Amino acid sequence: MANKDLIIDVSDSEVSLALLEDKQLIELNKEKRSVKYSVGDIYLGKVKKIMPGLNAAFINVGYERDAFLHYLDLGAQFRTQQKYYLTAVQKQGRVPPVYKFKPEPDIDKDGKITDVLAAGQTVIVQITKEPISTKGPRLASEISLAGRNLVLIPCSDKVSISSKIESPEEKNRLKTLVQSIKPRNYGIIVRTLAEGKKVAILDAELRDLVRKWESAFLSIKKDIRSPRLFIGEMNRTTTILRDMLNVSFNSIHINDLALADEIRKYIKEIAPEKAGIVKLYKGSLPIFDHFGINKQIKALFGKTVSFKHGAYLIIEHTEALHVIDVNSGNRSRTGNDQESNALEVNLEAAAEIARQLRLRDMGGIIVIDFIDMQSAENKQILYEKMKEIMANDRTKHNILPLSKFGLMQITRQRVRPEMNIVTDEKCPACQGTGETRPTILLTDELERTLSFIVDKIKTRKLILNVHPFVASFLKKGLFPQFLRWNIKYKIIIKVQAVTSYHMLEYHFYDRYENEIDLS
């Protein structure tokens, strides 16, 4: 079983989560702290335009482009939900709980959008796909509130169990259990993680989800304007952690005390004996540099991605689809014929492609041009291998066998913009002009800064973070430069290499690993 580690980097502007398996980066998530229109957010939207030809409507949710709502995404209980909303807005006194509310008839599944919606009407909608490229958000009116073990669907009454729970006995146990604790007019989807859970855990989570939904209507009269955010999904970091966190991790390293405490508390709830896997990182090197993640990001997010024995992928993106070309490069295998060599390269490429899809969160249509193989048996082996590797991908996907042209097509659900990291760097020292201050004078600049720190701040223990090439230069020889500074200024200085720095970038830290402000 693979060793799994989760590394979380919290900065002022964003939170980055890196999932490692056997020290290899397989998933990367970045969330801006000011992000809006995330999947799961629930809005009060205003119907802007009805499109009978599309059987859909454009809804203003406050985004620069109107969001899209199709008739099929309204949900059968749309009228019940709208009536409950209007009751909450108009009723004097306390809003009745949902379980006491009399449901309206379901809408006709083959009906028309004009029968249900009118321009200017306020509707409760949920983001199902974030704004991508030139498109606004995609919406649904069948609301779902996700917890770790359960998904709550207001104004429904169905109970369904995750198809990934295989045991018929466990499915029956969970269905009977949930039906016994579920209030009227609420539907429940039991998630895979609920397998084996006790009734007390599921009941507590169900009560929290019901409270979250109904409490939003208690205060709705204070602010009936639309469009506006009605019920925010937990921020994306917490959502990812909710779905990702489990006790199979070997360690969780994080550089933020508050989030570390929150995660430790959560782990204690699901597996008290595993609380020790949460570790607060306090090093002076950036956490992603310490664990070698920045180096992997630089190697994995370019147009060309190398894998074993000189083979490589070329990854191209268009508006409609992603194209991946598999190349054997300068790889040669003595004694192997061309067919077996092609199969070997293709199987290794399949593993790297599955990793790239998760890493970049590539969605939509992906077309892969594998190295040509003649044998139908080998093509089937490659197809089965791809399905096996992709089984670990939590995102919904579908894989087709190789076509007669040797192309494999994969569709992968796209609900967020693709993770796009530019690995080719514009030189920050010269801003692309090709000219920079003389590198030979960098050591003089470092020494002047060091002299200033020693004189003004009166500290004797220092850490200097620099680019790896500069670190090597300062440490070279029998009597390296940094030791000369130690003797000259009567200090102890530690030089550390940081791969994410540009060539002439440097930062000084005190003994407590706080950066020294040189401004």
Side-chain angles (χ1 to χ4, degrees), residues 215-229:
S215 63
F217 288 91
L218 295 177
S219 56
I220 199 167
K221 278 182 286 196
K222 296 176 184 174
D223 188 1
I224 60 170
R225 66 191 164 87
S226 60
R228 72 171 176 89
L229 181 65

Side-chain angles (χ1 to χ4, degrees), residues 243-274:
D243 295 340
M244 188 189 281
L245 272 186
N246 58 59
V247 292
S248 67
F249 285 120
N250 292 68
S251 62
I252 300 170
H253 295 271
I254 179 167
N255 60 356
D256 180 79
L257 179 61
L259 193 51
D261 287 342
E262 187 181 325
I263 294 171
R264 193 176 289 113
K265 181 182 175 184
Y266 177 72
I267 295 284
K268 276 181 181 175
E269 289 176 9
I270 58 172
E273 72 283 0
K274 285 275 194 171

Side-chain angles (χ1 to χ4, degrees), residues 32-257:
K32 298 286 182 189
R33 290 192 150 184
S34 58
V35 72
K36 291 181 178 178
Y37 306 103
S38 294
V39 170
D41 282 346
I42 300 168
Y43 280 80
L44 290 180
K46 194 174 282 289
V47 179
K48 192 80 171 288
K49 196 173 184 181
I50 304 288
M51 304 292 288
L54 297 173
N55 205 17
F58 284 102
I59 312 291
N60 178 9
V61 291
Y63 186 66
E64 60 196 53
R65 295 177 188 276
D66 290 333
F68 183 78
L69 175 64
H70 194 274
Y71 181 86
L72 295 176
D73 295 321
L74 287 174
Q77 301 80 28
F78 178 77
R79 286 197 177 95
T80 302
Q81 189 168 281
Q82 281 300 104
K83 186 180 176 185
Y84 189 73
Y85 161 73
L86 291 171
T87 303
V89 171
Q90 297 164 2
K91 186 174 174 63
Q92 298 299 319
R94 191 172 176 81
V95 184
V98 172
Y99 75 88
K100 289 185 177 178
F101 197 73
K102 185 181 176 184
E104 294 288 299
D106 289 356
I107 63 172
D108 182 0
K109 64 180 180 180
D110 298 318
K112 303 293 182 189
I113 195 85
T114 47
D115 298 337
V116 186
L117 293 182
Q121 181 180 348
T122 295
V123 288
I124 300 172
V125 288
Q126 186 167 33
I127 308 283
T128 58
K129 187 184 281 189
E130 290 177 13
I132 297 173
S133 186
T134 58
K135 299 172 183 173
R138 179 79 185 247
L139 305 175
S141 262
E142 186 170 42
I143 306 299
S144 60
L145 297 170
R148 183 166 174 79
N149 302 294
L150 305 172
V151 177
L152 182 76
I153 304 173
C155 304
S156 174
D157 230 2
K158 294 178 183 175
V159 173
S160 55
I161 312 293
S162 166
S163 58
K164 291 183 181 178
I165 298 175
E166 294 175 356
S167 162
E169 294 82 7
E170 179 62 7
K171 281 188 173 181
N172 288 333
R173 181 189 79 88
L174 287 169
K175 191 158 192 173
T176 305
L177 188 158
V178 168
Q179 282 174 332
S180 69
I181 62 174
K182 180 187 77 68
R184 270 184 73 245
N185 298 334
Y186 280 110
I188 303 287
I189 299 171
V190 180
R191 304 183 74 179
T192 313
L193 285 166
E195 190 169 8
K197 293 290 193 303
K198 294 178 180 176
V199 64
I201 293 171
L202 300 181
D203 186 51
E205 185 173 302
L206 177 57
R207 288 171 186 270
D208 283 343
L209 292 172
V210 169
R211 194 179 305 118
K212 183 178 181 180
W213 173 249
E214 295 192 357
S215 63
F217 288 91
L218 295 177
S219 56
I220 199 167
K221 278 182 286 196
K222 296 176 184 174
D223 188 1
I224 60 170
R225 66 191 164 87
S226 60
R228 72 171 176 89
L229 181 65
F230 184 46
I231 302 173
E233 169 65 291
M234 296 184 292
N235 65 57
R236 189 174 167 194
T237 306
T238 315
T239 307
I240 292 165
L241 287 174
R242 178 191 67 201
D243 295 340
M244 188 189 281
L245 272 186
N246 58 59
V247 292
S248 67
F249 285 120
N250 292 68
S251 62
I252 300 170
H253 295 271
I254 179 167
N255 60 356
D256 180 79
L257 179 61

Side-chain angles (χ1 to χ4, degrees), residues 382-438:
L382 177 59
Y383 172 58
E384 295 297 336
K385 178 70 172 178
M386 197 72 190
K387 287 202 296 184
E388 179 192 331
I389 299 168
M390 290 283 287
N392 294 324
D393 194 334
R394 295 192 309 274
T395 303
K396 287 180 186 174
H397 59 271
N398 188 34
I399 304 169
L400 296 181
L402 270 75
S403 71
K404 66 178 181 179
F405 300 117
L407 302 177
M408 180 180 285
Q409 297 171 68
I410 299 176
T411 59
R412 190 171 182 273
Q413 187 177 29
R414 178 166 71 167
V415 296
R416 295 190 178 94
E418 179 198 347
M419 173 76 68
N420 185 26
I421 296 174
V422 178
T423 55
D424 293 335
E425 299 173 356
K426 180 178 175 181
C427 173
C430 72
Q431 298 304 315
T433 63
E435 297 177 353
T436 181
R437 64 184 191 274

